[in-house]
Amino acid sequence: MKVLMFGWEYPPHVYGGLATANFGISEGLHAQGDVDITLCLPKPFGDEDHTFANIIAMNCVPIAWRDVNWDYVNGRVGNIMNPDLYFKLRDHIYADFNYMNVNDLGAMEFAGGYPGNLHEEINNYSIIAGVVARTVDFDIIHAHDWLTYPAGIHAKQVSGKPLCIHVHATDYDRSRGHVNPTVYSIEKDGMDNADCIMCVSDLTRNTVINQYHQDPRKVFTVHNAVYPLSAENEAIPRVDHTNKDKIVTFLGRITMQKGPEYFVEAANMVLHRTRHVRFCMAGSGDMMNAMINLVAERRIADRFHFPGFMRGKEVYECLKDSDVYVMPSVSEPFGISPLEAMQCGTPTIISKQSGCAEILNNCIKVDYWDIHALADAIYSICHNDSLFDYLSTEGKNEVAQITWEKVGRWIRELYLRTLGWK
């Protein structure tokens, strides 16, 4: 089975959780043994892992004819795309796009990540998808998140092949219901045109059905998973804080959706009971300054740390240096970070309003707004060694069973159903 997949980010260039999920899903599908993935990315850098997918650099796909030779193309883009593919794609240009801002290869440049002209880049990406869909051999289309829905729709229109979309989040989650009408329109258009909608949780599935008015019969829950720890990250030792200050960590985007203010307020309550706890808010976001001010207003700045955005090994060092991990999200479609914390043996507290709460048992779950319950849970883990040991051990064992291979098996099943092959 051949899949044409549209993604926006991919390791090692990680801008958010979408890269992690895209890689894991590719890995899980590859493990099935009969799924061949062609993955389109706006701006790969050439150092991506090609083990699980054949990557097409959309910024190297010609949409306007240019009379260039093989050596010139190789010199320009040979490190990220085979020149032979460039010429194969050039034969399938379907319209005159010279009026667009194309370069010397007739291709469009991308900034990568999430630039200020994001909507323009989404549109450009969807145009290029038409050339790719006319060139590549595939059975089914898989588009990740709203950024790639227009590309998936265009590929479906060009090829007549069925479209699966993967809803990793909706604007309802990001905005607490105050949706951006442009983003909502793109999301709904993608859902309306999809033959199969995969959602990362029952929470998200219900949002898709009720807020985007989709037929429940084509909407399925596909929970995320977590990669096994690499040898390098496994080797990072856990830090023992016996007879020392305990460390409680929030790690993620410091933005409205993630509920950072509830973490600060719970920290303030804990610090009224004990001073032997330190709080770490790792990450960056539009609420960071507001959180720094709130910490100052609560007079707990001497117990609070803002180390900034973390990536790669830094994340696992932080988690293994923590006695408690907290994710107080207001509306979290899934949330992979608690699984990563539990992998590290770090007792975890999550909001009941998160998708991962549907599949995790060996952690503490509280309503995001219940700062009293959150403070009690933090205090209990920090002061009860038996509770700490239980959550650390059982959490690690539980997450070891949540694999991308199982996710890939379920997605393959949904492909077969969508294609009518089963």
Side-chain angles (χ1 to χ4, degrees), residues 18-151:
L18 195 55
T20 303
N22 199 341
F23 186 82
I25 289 164
S26 300
E27 179 185 37
L29 286 168
H30 183 267
Q32 305 313 306
D34 62 350
V35 180
D36 182 25
I37 300 171
T38 297
L39 173 63
C40 299
L41 296 171
K43 187 183 178 180
F45 292 81
D47 56 352
E48 290 80 10
D49 188 337
H50 288 241
T51 305
F52 309 123
N54 303 306
I55 296 174
I56 292 181
M58 298 294 264
N59 61 329
C60 300
V61 174
I63 60 168
W65 180 274
R66 291 292 182 268
D67 186 11
V68 290
N69 61 41
W70 192 95
D71 288 335
Y72 184 77
V73 174
N74 187 48
R76 286 278 284 104
V77 301
N79 63 318
I80 52 176
M81 190 167 85
N82 187 325
D84 292 336
L85 178 58
Y86 171 87
F87 291 106
K88 184 179 179 181
L89 289 160
R90 194 180 67 173
D91 292 338
H92 291 87
I93 295 172
Y94 59 96
D96 184 1
F97 289 108
N98 278 294
Y99 68 91
M100 299 199 72
N101 187 23
V102 294
N103 61 19
D104 55 323
L105 295 178
M108 281 190 281
E109 304 284 354
F110 285 85
Y114 302 90
N117 66 331
L118 182 59
H119 288 279
E120 180 185 352
E121 297 218 330
I122 291 169
N123 181 64
N124 292 345
Y125 184 87
S126 70
I127 291 171
I128 301 165
V131 175
V132 174
R134 284 171 166 79
T135 309
V136 176
D137 182 27
F138 60 95
D139 302 302
I140 197 165
I141 305 156
H142 191 152
H144 289 284
D145 238 19
W146 69 281
L147 304 146
T148 71
Y149 293 168

Side-chain angles (χ1 to χ4, degrees), residues 259 261-263 265-267 269 326 328-330 349-353 364-378:
E261 68 272 34
Y262 301 105
F263 180 73
E265 297 293 9
M269 297 182 72
V326 180
S329 295
V330 174
I349 305 169
I350 60 177
S351 73
K352 294 178 181 178
Q353 290 72 28
I364 295 178
K365 305 172 192 178
V366 299
D367 288 307
Y368 72 86
W369 44 262
D370 194 345
I371 58 173
H372 294 274
L374 178 54
D376 285 344
I378 292 170

Side-chain angles (χ1 to χ4, degrees), residues 7-25:
W8 199 259
E9 55 177 274
Y10 202 69
H13 304 280
V14 177
Y15 304 98
L18 195 55
T20 303
N22 199 341
F23 186 82
I25 289 164

